[in-house]
Amino acid sequence: MELKIREEGSYTVIELSGEVDLSCSPEARKSILACLKTNKNLMIDLSAVTYIDSSGVASLVEGYQTAKKQNLKFGLVGVSKAVLSVLQLARLDKVFPIHSSMAECINSNK
């Protein structure tokens, strides 16, 4: 897994790529929670993720719950087919706000 963090508008964006599994999901979780501590809205870009397991999904869920408690926006951007199928299986595609791009996310929140 590779992880990049950038700022876009009023959001921090974490770009994940590769496989998000048990070996690297603790790093993703740590980054997600650290970004939320800065009190900025957070989007997770999953467009380059080829595989995600339950530990990766759990990191996303924890981030979502933490953001909600802090009244921050949290969502997923550019969800790859591999990730979307896992989210649909767990019915989390109905829980997470999912956007096709950051531009669409920013425009929908104006």
Side-chain angles (χ1 to χ4, degrees):
M1 175 193 84
E2 285 187 38
L3 185 146
K4 294 178 188 165
I5 300 174
R6 63 184 165 85
E7 301 295 318
E8 191 164 333
S10 63
Y11 291 90
T12 299
V13 180
I14 297 178
E15 296 176 29
L16 299 176
S17 60
E19 296 186 356
V20 182
D21 58 20
L22 188 58
S23 66
C24 59
S25 60
E27 180 188 351
R29 176 187 176 273
K30 187 172 135 189
S31 295
I32 289 168
L33 296 178
C35 285
L36 289 169
K37 282 184 182 167
T38 67
N39 255 359
K40 284 194 81 173
N41 299 317
L42 182 62
M43 288 289 140
I44 312 296
D45 185 332
L46 299 170
S47 57
V49 173
T50 55
Y51 172 82
I52 191 166
D53 70 5
S54 59
S55 66
V57 172
S59 297
L60 297 176
V61 169
E62 186 175 356
Y64 175 76
Q65 291 171 331
T66 302
K68 204 168 180 154
K69 285 178 194 165
Q70 295 177 233
N71 284 329
L72 296 171
K73 292 178 183 162
F74 181 97
L76 310 178
V77 177
V79 178
S80 66
K81 286 185 180 182
V83 174
L84 186 58
S85 64
V86 172
L87 294 177
Q88 287 171 332
L89 258 175
R91 297 188 187 263
L92 290 171
D93 59 318
K94 307 285 188 239
V95 174
F96 291 115
I98 297 177
H99 304 279
S100 59
S101 67
M102 275 310 295
E104 187 246 319
C105 168
I106 291 168
N107 288 334
S108 71
N109 288 310
K110 282 189 174 176

